Each structure stands twice: as structure tokens, then as C-alpha cells.
């Protein structure tokens, strides 16, 4: 019997030793089999007829049952993803009750509702493996072949390819494969080169937008792990995480409400319904990824992430379109269309002239023979000549149509966006880049933008006495202050058991007050929280500028109301106050005036004033069941006043001065009181010290709101500071400024700023303190919350516009010169000096390489010395017309001299003369590229050493030109030039520098050039 038992037990031991390498279903089957095997083994022991006496003794001595602790190892956690997904998606309350509520789900997920999950790397990795990561699949990015295909859709390219193919066919038929492929093959190679460069540029730009999209989606989220509150990337959130939510936050994943107050969620992004949805423990504890917190605060338990959420499924089908057309691009399209029509007309005239001259026998081949001799000319020869003429005409169109303009805009915007990221500004909407160049007014917040957002309590008043030593505070007053700080807050404190250092979380104001209460007043937040239960909360928002809480003391069953907020607003709610000794006193008019003076004194020292007030709710009020949902707002007792210092950012005064020198008005809009606002504005340079508080430069939001529309329009330009303003006041100011013709940029960080950010021409949200709602409503995110970065964005906006103008000037010079020389030569000599391949090479230099060289110039200080660019001003200014016409006329003159007298001047044949024309024309563009760097300044070489890309492109262009002339004789239809001829070409082209310098002395009229052409 003992042998049998031993064998069975060893078998059972083997079966229960489930290898960890098995898959989950295999583990389940093995454990089920082990259970059945064990029960059968025991059953066989009871029924086996061994020696009766022995068996009886053995069986009697054994217990009447065997307990097997078989634990299913179905995975890391005790609940599967399917159940979690359906629980929230279907809002299944019955299922939630079966799982014992959110606490039961947290327990099943091996998470703690207060301390969160284990922060160990292995635990987080296991959760990602089991439930997925908080990312969603994106549509595949467009490959390089997509952009190649897009380039082939251009009609002019298709016509050129057709001409090249026909030329190739007729050339081979007429001259054989060895000699006949050159003309058509050369055009094909040139076309494919143009297409390749264009496709690569667009592909790289598309990749740039994809990278920016990833950065913009990387939101920081507050979670608690192992009892420590910390910020992590939204992509790092896992199932089981406990997330903190506040007003303006985006819900980062699907989950369940754990704890919080007054939580209202905007689900319009999911359902389309504009009404806010209240979320609480019952009946609606369900939170959905992608929705926004409209009011209140809460903690949530994450149950589904990434593709297991409805938001993830929806976002995986949406791709951002980087081909958003900006207003400048729309204007350039019109310009391109106009130039294209002129080019088309010239090309048509050239085509007609060349065809007429060919068929009337006025053209000669390379040997001096007439190309067309009536019936003697072969059909193949005629077709080849006609195709060559058509190709030349189409190439003129290709050169005339400035396809490089849209490419230049795209390149300069993409380059600017990349550089702006390094300068702490992330562009969300392309149009904002160029619009910022036209900004005439910037409405900025104070906290965190003009100031450092590093707040510290520096003043503390009890009653009418300033307290320097906190040890002298009476016990009952100290308890009231600690209650008001520890319970009426959205912040938190973490302290590692082994360390004495505290970590404070929350808004900068909350962190400053918590830090002061813990380090100065010795507050133990956990102990205070354990002694009280919270009955009702009124969360802080920028409209009310205060927060309130209703609490019950557990030991005494007494109820207290605590308020905290803007000092003058809390003071208005008080009818009594505690003096420094802790005695309660009635507040008369003299006392109230004294407190107002204390507040004004702190505000004048640039301090933010916060007041604490309290009221004990009489027993009869809560015993008789009076409504406790509304926190009492009157007859409060003032506990204390604190002054919080937030120093101005270094360099902000210089940034404000730069904006003012650039003709941009800076207005500060803040929620602080008039005295604090005026002190900070003076310190930052927005207000002059001599500007009185009573004049129209400083106004309160309420006063501005009560003006008549006519008064607002009259005074809005004079206002420099708006204090105690709400988000509606900010919106009202933006609307007034826009009506007066201003281009307005607005900074904002709160949810309530969303309307003003959308209404403004450029919305600038704050990357650190800004809510997700504010960021989504903005055009540009200021990543470091610094006003100096706003000034940098202004400079970049002007740089974008300036770079485009440089390129337009450069390209139009080439267009005018190419069109005139080809038309005159065709009309007079019956030939075009520049072949299709040569014109395509010029097109490549002009469009792609030129755009790269000129669109990547960095902003200079001079840009902020000019007034804002008017959005209705012509793209091509009188200065640009002056510069480009001078250069174009010079180029046309030189090329025509070479066309008609080049052979006699240099003593060369016709082919060398055409090479000289081609070489001189290209080198003129290279030298003129330097002139295009500066529209007005005479020194075009200033700062050139900083733009290595420009110098590199110039170098590449010259090297390729030498190769074209000296090495690609058959391909480019050129002849080699000697040193004298090269020297002449360079000398003639270099003359464009002194011409450009002299021309800039010519004054220009303010009236736009094209207005003179109108009747």
C-alpha cells in the first residue's frame, strides 16, 4: 500500500509541477487533468482489496479527505481583457456589481486604489504584454513611391515624357540605336531627375510631419505607482494604473471612477453630444479614452488601453493630413497660375514661330543645310523635328511655371517647424507659422509665461499682524489652517519612508501652499485626512477664483466649511476674523479697510494674495436635515492671508521690448488683482512706471465687460493690462481687437481659454501648465511656457514670409530672363538657344536647389526692426520688383548679345556659342542667388557662413554645371569651353553683384507697382 501511495503521490507531484513555458490553455488543461488524476488515484486506494487488516489500519489512520490547492495560472492577473473592455464600453453596471465595484476590479488587477500598481519594470512589462500598450495603430505612412506617382500626375511632365518617348523612337529609327537615343534619352533622364528630387523633398517633409504628430500626441499624465504620485507619458499607461484627472485633462484610457468630486466630462468627441456627462461612483462610474474633463477632479482606474478602447479603434483609421494649405500657399497658387498663363502664351507663340519657320524652309541643320525641303524630306525627319519643337515649347512652359513656389513654402515651413521645436515652440497648424509674421498684438497670461511659475509663500498674516515665527500661532488656529490646506486641495504629498525629503504634486500655487504648511507649520496631511470625511467639494476654476470644501470631523461629528482663493473675493465673504492670538472678532468697516490695505500692499510687491476662511455649521442645521450639498458662502471667519511670490522670468523684459520695437503691442491679461498685475506688468516692461493705475492702460475685467461696444472699441488699443479677468473677458478683448483690424496672438493654458484661443488669429497654448483642451484649441504650443519663446515664434513667422519673398524674387528673375531670351531668339533666328535638357537643368537649379538654399535662412535681428507684414499687402513688393527687373534686364541684355554676336566676339562656332549662353545663364542664377539673400540690405554676404546648407548648394550647383558642360557633351548638347571662355562667363555673371548693390540705392514708391498698370 505504501508503495502504491508513494507512486501515486510522486505522479501527482509531477503533474502539479506545471512548466512556466507552457501556453495558458495548455496550463489549464494540465491542471484539470491533475485534479481528475488525483481524485481517481484516491478512489482506487479506497477500492483496492489489499490485506484487509493493513488496509483498515492505514485507512483509519488517514484523514477522511484530501485538500488540493490547485491555482489556475491563467496569466498575470485574475481578469481577462474581454471582460474589462465590455465592462466599460457597454457601461455594464450589473457586471461591475458582480466584480464588487471598482475596488473589486482593482483587486483583480492586483492594483491598489490608493497606491496604484507596483512600479517595478517587470510588473509594468507583464501588464503591457497581457493587456497591450496605450498606443494605437496608425495608417501606414506614404512611401517614396507615392510621391513619385504624384509627380507623374503633373500634365507638363506627362507631355514632356511623351515628347521624349517620340523623340527617342524617331531618333533611333533615323540615326540608329547608337546615335539616335541622345535627344530623347537626355530629356527622359532630366525629367526623371526633376521627379526624383521633387519626390524625395516631399517624402522627407511628410516624415517630418509624422514625427511632429508623435510629439504632439505625447501627453504627460499624473499617476500614482507604489504610493508615489508622478508624471508619465500617456503611452506608458498600463491596465491597473490609478490616474489623477483635473479640469482640462484628456482621459488617457478607458476606466472606472474611483474617487473625486463634481466630475463632469465632455464626451462630444465620442458621442457628438455637447452636454457634459456627470461621472461618479453610481450610477455612472465609466470613463472613456479621448474625452475631456470639463469640471471637477477625480482618480480613475485604468481598465483598457490602446486598441482595446473605442478611441483607439477610431484614431487608428484617422491620419493627419500634412497637406493643409495655408493662406500664403493659396496666394502663391494664384501667382503661379498667373505666371503659368504668361508662360503658356509665350510657349505657344514660340511653337507657332518655330513650326512656321521650319515648314517654310528657314531653319538649318548642323551642316548648314535646310531642314525641310518639301517632298525630299523624310516623314521620320519631319516628325522628329516637330517633336523637338514641341518639346522645346513644353520645356519653356515647365521653366515658366514656378512649381518651386509651393515646394519653397513647404520646405521653409517644414524647416521652420523643426527649428522652432528646438526653440521650444511646437507648431500644430501650418498656417500659424506665417500668420505670426503679421501679428500686431499679443495678449499674454502672467503666471508661468511672464513669471517663472516657481511659487513660494513669502508673507503670512494672522488678523492684522504679519507673522514671522510660526511657533507663536495658537493651537486651534493652527489646526484650522492645516484643515484648510490639507483638505481643500487638489495637490498631494509623497515622502519615501527612508528619506526625509517631501515631494509635492499639483498646480504651482497648491505646491507652494502645501510646501509652506508642511515645512513651516509642521502639517501632517495624512493624519488630518484620516480625522475628517469630505462631504462636498466645489473645485477651483478661473471664473470663481476660489475653492470650497464641506467636511465632517469623525470624532465629534461636527461639520465645517472651508474656503480658499483670491484674497479680496474671500474677504468679501467674511463677517469676522481670527486675530493673531486665535480669538474671533467681528469685522467692521475699519477692519475691512485694514485688510484691503494689507492685500494691496502685498499685491504692490508682486505677490499673489490667497486667503483662508472657515465656518462651523451649527448642529441644528445638519441635525434637521438641511441641504448640505451647497457649501455656505457667507458669514465666514477669515483665518489667514498668505502672499506668494512668483518671480519674473529672466529675459522677459528684453523679449517684451523686442516685440514692442517690432511694432507689436503686448497686453497682459491676468486673473490677479489690479495691484499685483500692475506691479508685474511694470517689472516686465509692459507698463511704464509713470503710467498711473487710474488711466486707461490698466482695467479690470468686470469694468471692461460693462463698457458699451463703442467704448470698448475706443479704449481697447490703450489697454495694456486687464486684471481680475475671466476667460470671457479675454474672448471679448480678442474680438474687439480683430474688429479693429489687428492680427491677434493669444496665450492660454486653461480649459476656459479655449474659446479665446480659437477666436484669435494665432492661439498659443502652454506646454507645461496648459490643459489638453487648451492645447487642442491652439495653433502653436509653447513648450517651456516662456514669453521669450513667444517672441521667438514672432521672429520665425516673419522669417517664413521673408524667405518666401526671397525665393519669389529669385525665381521670377529666372522666369523673365528665360522667357524673353527664348521668345526673342525663336522669333528672330528661328531657334531656341537653350535646349529642353538645359532648360530642365535650369528648372532643377531654380526650383528645388534654389528653394532649399533660400527657404532655410535663419531669422535675423533685423526682422524685428520692421513693422508687421500686412496680410493684404502684395506678395511682390516694389523693392522686389526693382531688384528682379534690374537683374532680369541685365541677363536678357547679355544673353541677346551672345545670341546675335557671340560667334564673332569669341570667334567660335554656333554650338560653342549656345554653350556659352547656357553656361552664362546658369552662372548668372548662381550669383543672383546671393543677391536674393537680402531684399533691402546692401551687404548680401552678412551671416552667410552660418548657413552651411546655402554654401553647400551653391558648391554642388557649380560642380554639376562644370560636369554638364565639360563631361556630358551628348547628354546636355554642349561643347567644352576653354579657360578664357569660362573666365568670361564667370566675369559676366559676377557683374550681377555690383548691379544688385547699385540698384538698392534707388528709392521705391509706397504705391504697389501693379497698381500703376490698372486703368
Amino acid at each position: 500500500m505504501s508503495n502504491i501511495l508513494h507512486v501515486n503521490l510522486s505522479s501527482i507531484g509531477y503533474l502539479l509541477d506545471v512548466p512556466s513555458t507552457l501556453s495558458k490553455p495548455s496550463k489549464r488543461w494540465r491542471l484539470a487533468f491533475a485534479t481528475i488524476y488525483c481524485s481517481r488515484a484516491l478512489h482506487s486506494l479506497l477500492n483496492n482489496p489489499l490485506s484487509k487488516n493493513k488496509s483498515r489500519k492505514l485507512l483509519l489512520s488517514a484523514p477522511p479527505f484530501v485538500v488540493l490547492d490547485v491555482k489556475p495560472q491563467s496569466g498575470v492577473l485574475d481578469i481577462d481583457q474581454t471582460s474589462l473592455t465590455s465592462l466599460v464600453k457597454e457601461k455594464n453596471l450589473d457586471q461591475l456589481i458582480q466584480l464588487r465595484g471598482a475596488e473589486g476590479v482593482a483587486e483583480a488587477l492586483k492594483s491598489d486604489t490608493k497606491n496604484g500598481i507596483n512600479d517595478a519594470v517587470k510588473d509594468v512589462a507583464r501588464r503591457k504584454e497581457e493587456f497591450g500598450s496605450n498606443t494605437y495603430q496608425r495608417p501606414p505612412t506614404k512611401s517614396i513611391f507615392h510621391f513619385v506617382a504624384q509627380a507623374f500626375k503633373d500634365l507638363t511632365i506627362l507631355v514632356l515624357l511623351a515628347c521624349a518617348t517620340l523623340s527617342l523612337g524617331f531618333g533611333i529609327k533615323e540615326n540608329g540605336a547608337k546615335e539616335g537615343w541622345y535627344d530623347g534619352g537626355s530629356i527622359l533622364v532630366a525629367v526623371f531627375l526633376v521627379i526624383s528630387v521633387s519626390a524625395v523633398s516631399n517624402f522627407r517633409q511628410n516624415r517630418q510631419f509624422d514625427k511632429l504628430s508623435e510629439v504632439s500626441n505625447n501627453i504627460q499624465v499624473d499617476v500614482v505607482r507604489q504610493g508615489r504620485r508622478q508624471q508619465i507619458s500617456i503611452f506608458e499607461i498600463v491596465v491597473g494604473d490609478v490616474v489623477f484627472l483635473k479640469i482640462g485633462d484628456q482621459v488617457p484610457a478607458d476606466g472606472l471612477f474611483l474617487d473625486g468630486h463634481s466630475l463632469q466630462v465632455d464626451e462630444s468627441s465620442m458621442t457628438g453630444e455637447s452636454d457634459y456627462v456627470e461621472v461618479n461612483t453610481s450610477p455612472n462610474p465609466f470613463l472613456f479614452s479621448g474625452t475631456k474633463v470639463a469640471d471637477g477632479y477625480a482618480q480613475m482606474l485604468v481598465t483598457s488601453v490602446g486598441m482595446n478602447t473605442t478611441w483607439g479603434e477610431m484614431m487608428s483609421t484617422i491620419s493627419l493630413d500634412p497637406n493643409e494649405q495655408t493662406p500664403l500657399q493659396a496666394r502663391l497658387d494664384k501667382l503661379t497660375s498667373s505666371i503659368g498663363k504668361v508662360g503658356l502664351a509665350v510657349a505657344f507663340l514660340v511653337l507657332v514661330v518655330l513650326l512656321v519657320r521650319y515648314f517654310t524652309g528657314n531653319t538649318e541643320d548642323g551642316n548648314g543645310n535646310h531642314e525641310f525641303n518639301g517632298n525630299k524630306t523624310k516623314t521620320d525627319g519631319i516628325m522628329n523635328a516637330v517633336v523637338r519643337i514641341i518639346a522645346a515649347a513644353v520645356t519653356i512652359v515647365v521653366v515658366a511655371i514656378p512649381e518651386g513656389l509651393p515646394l519653397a513654402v513647404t520646405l521653409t515651413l517644414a524647416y521652420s517647424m523643426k527649428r522652432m521645436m528646438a526653440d521650444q515652440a511646437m507648431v500644430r497648424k501650418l498656417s500659424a507659422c506665417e500668420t505670426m509674421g503679421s501679428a500686431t498684438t499679443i495678449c499674454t497670461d502672467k503666471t508661468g509665461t511672464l513669471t517663472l511659475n516657481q511659487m513660494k509663500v513669502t508673507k503670512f498674516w494672522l488678523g492684522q499682524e504679519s507673522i514671522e515665527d510660526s511657533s507663536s500661532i495658537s493651537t486651534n488656529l493652527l489646526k484650522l489652517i492645516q484643515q484648510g490646506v490639507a483638505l481643500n486641495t487638489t495637490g498631494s504629498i509623497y515622502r519615501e519612508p527612508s528619506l526625509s525629503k517631501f515631494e509635492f504634486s499639483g498646480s504651482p500655487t497648491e505646491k507652494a501652499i502645501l510646501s509652506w504648511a508642511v515645512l513651516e507649520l509642521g502639517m501632517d496631511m495624512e493624519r488630518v485626512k484620516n480625522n475628517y470625511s469630505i462631504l462636498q467639494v466645489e473645485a477651483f476654476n478661473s471664473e470663481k477664483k476660489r475653492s470650497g470644501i464641506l467636511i465632517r470631523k469623525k470624532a465629534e461629528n461636527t461639520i465645517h466649511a472651508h474656503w480658499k482663493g483670491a484674497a479680496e473675493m474671500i474677504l468679501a465673504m467674511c463677517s469676522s476674523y481670527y486675530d493673531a492670538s486665535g480669538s474671533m472678532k467681528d469685522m467692521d468697516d475699519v477692519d475691512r479697510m485694514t485688510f484691503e490695505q494689507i492685500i494691496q500692499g502685498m499685491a504692490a510687491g508682486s505677490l499673489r494674495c490667497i486667503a483662508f476662511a472657515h465656518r462651523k455649521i451649527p448642529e441644528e442645521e445638519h441635525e434637521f436635515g438641511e441641504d448640505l450639498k451647497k457649501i455656505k458662502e457667507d458669514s465666514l471667519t477669515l483665518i489667514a492671508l498668505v502672499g506668494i511670490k512668483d518671480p519674473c522670468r529672466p529675459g522677459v523684459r528684453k523679449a517684451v521690448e523686442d516685440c514692442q520695437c517690432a511694432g507689436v503691442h503686448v497686453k497682459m491679461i491676468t486673473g490677479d488683482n489690479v495691484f499685483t498685475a500692475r506691479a508685474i506688468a511694470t517689472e516686465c516692461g509692459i507698463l511704464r512706471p509713470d503710467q498711473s493705475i487710474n488711466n486707461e492702460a490698466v482695467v479690470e475685467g468686470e469694468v471692461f465687460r460693462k463698457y458699451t461696444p463703442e467704448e470698448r472699441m475706443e479704449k481697447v488699443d490703450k489697454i495694456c493690462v486687464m486684471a481680475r479677468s475671466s476667460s470671457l473677458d479675454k474672448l471679448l478683448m480678442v474680438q474687439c481687437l480683430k474688429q479693429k483690424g489687428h492680427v491677434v496672438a493669444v496665450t492660454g493654458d486653461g480649459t476656459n481659454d479655449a474659446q479665446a484661443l480659437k477666436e484669435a488669429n494665432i492661439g498659443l497654448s502652454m506646454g507645461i501648465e496648459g490643459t489638453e483642451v487648451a492645447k487642442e484649441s491652439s495653433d502653436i504650443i509653447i513648450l517651456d511656457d516662456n514669453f521669450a519663446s513667444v517672441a521667438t515664434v514672432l521672429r520665425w513667422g516673419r522669417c517664413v514670409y521673408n524667405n518666401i519673398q526671397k525665393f519669389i524674387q529669385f525665381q521670377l528673375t529666372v522666369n523673365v530672363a528665360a522667357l524673353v531670351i527664348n521668345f526673342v531668339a525663336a522669333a528672330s533666328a528661328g531657334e531656341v538657344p537653350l535646349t529642353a535638357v538645359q532648360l530642365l537643368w535650369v528648372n532643377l537649379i531654380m526650383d528645388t536647389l534654389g528653394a532649399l538654399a533660400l527657404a532655410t535662412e535663419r531669422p535675423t535681428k533685423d526682422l524685428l526692426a520692421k513693422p508687421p507684414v500686412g496680410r493684404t499687402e502684395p506678395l511682390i513688393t516694389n523693392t522686389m520688383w526693382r531688384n528682379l527687373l534690374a537683374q532680369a534686364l541685365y541677363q536678357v541684355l547679355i544673353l541677346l548679345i551672345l545670341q546675335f554676336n557671340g560667334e564673332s566676339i569669341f570667334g567660335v562656332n554656333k554650338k560653342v556659342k549656345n554653350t556659352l549662353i547656357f553656361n552664362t545663364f546658369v552662372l548668372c542664377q548662381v550669383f543672383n542667388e546671393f543677391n536674393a539673400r537680402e531684399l533691402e540690405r546692401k551687404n548680401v554676404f552678412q551671416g552667410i557662413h552660418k548657413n552651411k546648407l546655402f554654401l553647400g548648394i551653391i558648391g554642388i550647383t557649380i560642380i554639376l554645371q562644370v560636369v554638364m558642360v565639360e563631361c556630358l557633351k551628348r547628354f546636355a548638347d554642349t561643347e567644352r569651353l576653354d579657360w578664357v571662355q569660362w573666365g568670361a562667363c564667370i566675369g559676366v555673371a559676377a557683374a550681377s553683384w555690383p548691379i544688385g548693390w547699385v540698384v538698392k540705392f534707388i528709392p521705391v514708391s509706397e504705391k504697389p507697382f501693379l497698381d500703376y498698370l490698372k486703368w
Side-chain angles (χ1 to χ4, degrees), residues 171-385:
I172 291 171
K173 189 176 179 183
E174 188 178 357
N175 302 314
K178 191 175 180 181
E179 299 288 331
W181 69 273
Y182 284 116
D183 284 350
S186 300
I187 296 173
L188 279 175
V189 170
V191 168
F192 279 113
L193 186 63
V194 169
I195 286 171
S196 301
V197 173
S198 174
V200 169
S201 298
N202 286 326
F203 174 68
R204 289 191 63 191
Q205 173 250 328
N206 194 68
R207 291 288 296 273
Q208 177 75 35
F209 283 112
D210 285 345
K211 285 178 184 175
L212 285 171
S213 174
E214 284 176 24
V215 174
S216 66
N217 290 331
N218 189 10
I219 301 163
Q220 294 297 303
V221 181
D222 268 5
V223 300
V224 61
R225 288 183 176 177
Q226 236 169 338
R228 181 184 179 186
R229 185 166 169 175
Q230 55 192 287
Q231 278 202 336
I232 63 170
S233 164
I234 190 170
F235 303 131
E236 293 301 316
I237 284 178
V238 293
V239 169
D241 261 325
V242 174
V243 178
F244 290 84
L245 299 173
K246 61 182 184 300
I247 294 176
D249 282 354
Q250 177 178 313
V251 179
D254 284 1
L256 297 168
F257 177 92
L258 287 174
D259 187 25
H261 295 279
S262 312
L263 186 67
Q264 289 192 320
V265 176
D266 177 6
E267 294 185 354
S268 58
S269 58
M270 301 288 292
T271 62
E273 296 293 330
S274 57
D275 292 339
Y276 296 151
V277 176
E278 192 167 336
V279 180
N280 44 34
T281 312
S282 180
N284 180 29
F286 305 105
L287 287 155
F288 295 95
S289 176
T291 56
K292 307 289 189 305
V293 178
D295 199 6
Y297 60 89
Q299 291 97 52
M300 69 172 279
L301 175 71
V302 175
T303 57
S304 298
V305 293
M307 292 301 294
N308 294 315
T309 66
T310 309
W311 181 255
E313 290 174 8
M314 186 170 73
M315 289 304 288
S316 66
T317 61
I318 298 171
S319 60
L320 287 174
D321 182 16
N323 299 319
E324 164 206 354
Q325 192 176 48
T326 70
L328 182 57
Q329 282 173 322
R331 291 173 73 186
L332 284 172
D333 281 351
K334 286 184 182 177
L335 180 64
T336 303
S337 175
S338 303
I339 296 168
K341 286 172 185 173
V342 175
L344 205 58
V346 172
F348 180 72
L349 287 172
V350 168
L351 177 67
V352 171
V353 169
L354 290 180
L355 286 173
V356 168
R357 289 184 67 93
Y358 174 77
F359 285 111
T360 53
N362 288 318
T363 57
E364 297 176 350
D365 59 18
N367 300 318
N369 302 319
H370 291 289
E371 285 189 300
F372 183 76
N373 288 316
N375 296 331
K376 294 178 184 178
T377 308
K378 294 179 182 178
T379 307
D380 288 348
I382 295 171
M383 291 301 293
N384 209 9

Side-chain angles (χ1 to χ4, degrees), residues 522-586:
M523 181 183 78
D524 185 342
M525 192 168 180
E526 279 303 311
R527 187 174 56 79
V528 176
K529 281 187 169 183
N530 290 335
N531 290 336
Y532 294 87
S533 56
I534 296 171
L535 303 176
Q536 187 65 27
V537 171
E538 191 169 318
F540 178 89
N541 68 37
S542 58
E543 301 290 332
K544 297 176 289 189
K545 293 185 171 46
R546 64 178 187 266
S547 63
I549 192 165
L550 197 65
I551 56 174
R552 185 194 299 274
K553 190 170 185 181
K554 293 175 182 176
E556 301 171 6
N557 200 30
T558 55
I559 294 177
H560 303 261
H562 278 274
W563 284 93
K564 175 184 74 179
E568 65 269 33
M569 294 193 170
I570 298 295
L571 182 65
M573 296 159 65
C574 295
S575 58
S576 56
Y577 68 96
Y578 289 105
D579 65 12
S581 64
S583 304
M584 189 189 293
K585 293 186 175 180
D586 288 335

Side-chain angles (χ1 to χ4, degrees), residues 331-578:
R331 291 173 73 186
L332 284 172
D333 281 351
K334 286 184 182 177
L335 180 64
T336 303
S337 175
S338 303
I339 296 168
K341 286 172 185 173
V342 175
L344 205 58
V346 172
F348 180 72
L349 287 172
V350 168
L351 177 67
V352 171
V353 169
L354 290 180
L355 286 173
V356 168
R357 289 184 67 93
Y358 174 77
F359 285 111
T360 53
N362 288 318
T363 57
E364 297 176 350
D365 59 18
N367 300 318
N369 302 319
H370 291 289
E371 285 189 300
F372 183 76
N373 288 316
N375 296 331
K376 294 178 184 178
T377 308
K378 294 179 182 178
T379 307
D380 288 348
I382 295 171
M383 291 301 293
N384 209 9
V386 170
V387 166
R388 191 174 68 248
I389 290 168
I390 292 170
V394 171
T395 309
I396 290 170
V397 176
V398 172
V399 175
I401 295 173
E403 302 100 330
L405 284 178
L407 177 64
V409 177
T410 305
L411 281 171
T412 193
L413 287 173
Y415 173 79
S416 303
M417 286 171 74
K418 187 177 178 182
R419 289 291 182 183
M420 284 165 79
M421 277 291 283
D423 288 341
Q424 302 299 316
M426 187 179 78
V427 179
R428 293 185 73 251
K429 292 180 184 172
L430 273 179
S431 55
C433 270
E434 61 196 49
T435 310
M436 196 66 190
S438 304
T440 57
T441 304
I442 298 174
C443 299
T444 176
D445 284 340
K446 175 188 79 72
T447 306
T449 308
L450 297 171
T451 61
L452 283 169
N453 218 3
Q454 294 173 0
M455 300 193 182
K456 185 180 179 182
V457 175
T458 56
K459 288 283 184 184
F460 174 36
W461 290 74
L462 283 177
Q464 296 171 8
E465 290 182 33
S466 178
I467 306 297
E468 301 296 333
D469 182 14
S470 57
S471 61
S472 63
I473 306 171
S474 66
T475 308
N476 69 314
L477 207 51
L478 188 62
K479 284 181 179 176
L480 283 173
I481 294 169
Q482 290 180 351
Q483 286 171 31
V485 173
L487 301 171
N488 188 12
T489 183
T490 54
S492 62
I493 301 169
Y494 174 76
R495 184 183 185 183
E496 285 189 28
S498 58
L499 300 172
S500 59
K501 191 178 178 183
F502 292 92
E503 286 183 17
F504 301 99
S505 304
S507 71
T509 307
E510 295 283 15
K511 286 195 283 187
I513 292 171
L514 286 173
S515 171
W516 165 72
V518 169
L519 302 177
E520 299 289 329
L521 306 183
M523 181 183 78
D524 185 342
M525 192 168 180
E526 279 303 311
R527 187 174 56 79
V528 176
K529 281 187 169 183
N530 290 335
N531 290 336
Y532 294 87
S533 56
I534 296 171
L535 303 176
Q536 187 65 27
V537 171
E538 191 169 318
F540 178 89
N541 68 37
S542 58
E543 301 290 332
K544 297 176 289 189
K545 293 185 171 46
R546 64 178 187 266
S547 63
I549 192 165
L550 197 65
I551 56 174
R552 185 194 299 274
K553 190 170 185 181
K554 293 175 182 176
E556 301 171 6
N557 200 30
T558 55
I559 294 177
H560 303 261
H562 278 274
W563 284 93
K564 175 184 74 179
E568 65 269 33
M569 294 193 170
I570 298 295
L571 182 65
M573 296 159 65
C574 295
S575 58
S576 56
Y577 68 96
Y578 289 105

